[in-house]
Amino acid sequence: MSERVLHLHRHRFRELSDADLVQSVARRDKAAMEELFERHHERVHRILARLRSVDAIDVDDLVQSTFIEVQRSAARFSGQAAVGTWIVAIAVNVMRHHVRKEVRYRTALVNRGREAPSVSTASSPFEECSNRQSMARLAYAFDRLGLEQKEAFLLCDVEGLRGTEVARALDLPEGTVWRRLHEARMSLRRHLIDKEAP
């Protein structure tokens, strides 16, 4: 019986516009949230999958996080943009937060890698010493990059994402991404060539 009531309840929402659904979601209506999810989750999944090269499980988690944020933000929806556009903007912000967390995580890994004993394939003590110095200079140079340059460098050169994907994920013009990447590369190159190290 309750399953039939839920089905009838959800059927009522199929007739509503997206904006009306958001208003119902703001009033904590679960059936409205389910309908909004049904209408938009595939597009959000597709966009997030194109923004990053991550496992399907990670993309699914980001989709879920997007709709959790949709539910939290429903009361603040102003109607100035289409609901679909508003949801995509939330998804991009969720992705940006995820990317920033990854940048912090990778920065911590670089710092830990600098402290960890290195396994070297160098055939002589001189080559081993030279490799350690190069890694120290690289870690030092990376530490001195601004957050914007770190993001561009890690996403493009380490993760292998295209500039268009990074621009979408960070909500920036593509030219800005390329400028930041160029600045990061030049700064790292300068530190390596000039042998600036602590």
Side-chain angles (χ1 to χ4, degrees), residues 14-26:
R14 290 191 183 123
E15 309 298 322
L16 296 178
S17 70
D18 283 351
D20 291 335
L21 282 175
V22 172
Q23 288 178 355
S24 295
V25 168

Side-chain angles (χ1 to χ4, degrees), residues 35-90:
E35 180 63 26
L36 198 63
F37 180 83
E38 285 300 317
R39 291 184 189 184
H40 295 279
H41 80 277
E42 288 179 3
R43 180 176 185 219
V44 169
H45 191 282
R46 188 172 57 250
I47 289 168
L48 293 177
R50 287 178 180 162
L51 285 174
R52 298 240 330 134
S53 302
V54 295
D55 295 336
I57 292 172
D58 293 334
V59 173
D60 290 343
D61 287 345
L62 292 173
V63 171
Q64 292 298 324
S65 296
T66 296
F67 282 93
I68 288 169
E69 191 57 38
V70 164
Q71 190 168 20
R72 286 184 191 142
S73 304
R76 296 189 307 271
F77 176 67
S78 66
Q80 292 181 341
V83 171
T85 303
W86 174 67
I87 291 172
V88 166
I90 289 173

Side-chain angles (χ1 to χ4, degrees), residues 61-133:
D61 287 345
L62 292 173
V63 171
Q64 292 298 324
S65 296
T66 296
F67 282 93
I68 288 169
E69 191 57 38
V70 164
Q71 190 168 20
R72 286 184 191 142
S73 304
R76 296 189 307 271
F77 176 67
S78 66
Q80 292 181 341
V83 171
T85 303
W86 174 67
I87 291 172
V88 166
I90 289 173
V92 168
N93 283 333
V94 166
M95 176 63 75
R96 288 180 82 183
H97 179 71
H98 178 76
V99 167
R100 285 187 182 120
K101 276 176 63 177
E102 280 194 8
V103 168
R104 287 193 297 272
Y105 173 73
R106 291 187 183 280
T107 301
L109 282 181
V110 167
N111 289 337
R112 270 188 264 151
R114 182 176 55 195
E115 296 165 4
S118 63
V119 176
S120 176
T121 57
S123 58
S124 73
F126 174 78
E127 288 175 350
E128 187 174 329
C129 181
S130 178
N131 288 341
R132 283 187 184 165
Q133 288 174 346

